[in-house]
Amino acid sequence: TPAASTRCGRSPTRAASMRSDIHDIEVQYQHRTERAVCVRPYEGAADVWLPLSDVEMDPAEARRGDTVTLTAPERLLLDKGLI
């Protein structure tokens, strides 16, 4: 069976193959270094550090405690306990 086939022997649909694993979540901004950003999923939660090479933050500049939108791969967000 070809690698792209499903268990039924059919190829995945175009929509399934185009599905993105990128998510937007709202978090509390804490701190930023040259290579990472520190956020919290909610007030009072533990700090979570994420590599800037794997995430985007909107707005790009924020102050401690501001709510920002973080865009990152699902696997990273799962690994860090953010989703």
Side-chain angles (χ1 to χ4, degrees):
T1 312
S5 295
T6 64
R7 285 186 287 172
C8 299
R10 288 182 278 152
S11 295
T13 64
R14 181 179 173 127
S17 64
M18 293 177 60
R19 191 175 3 199
S20 173
D21 75 336
I22 303 296
H23 294 277
D24 292 336
I25 61 169
E26 287 192 346
V27 293
Q28 270 194 341
Y29 173 83
Q30 295 301 308
H31 183 70
R32 181 182 187 148
T33 67
E34 185 177 309
R35 298 177 63 186
V37 62
C38 179
V39 299
R40 292 180 179 173
Y42 54 88
E43 188 172 344
D47 290 346
V48 177
W49 285 92
L50 302 159
L52 286 172
S53 60
D54 292 337
V55 302
E56 290 182 14
M57 193 176 80
D58 185 37
E61 299 296 323
R63 291 194 281 169
R64 182 181 293 271
D66 286 353
T67 299
V68 298
T69 300
L70 194 71
T71 303
E74 181 176 346
R75 175 58 38 210
L76 177 62
L77 297 176
L78 285 169
D79 289 348
K80 296 294 186 168
L82 294 171
I83 59 170

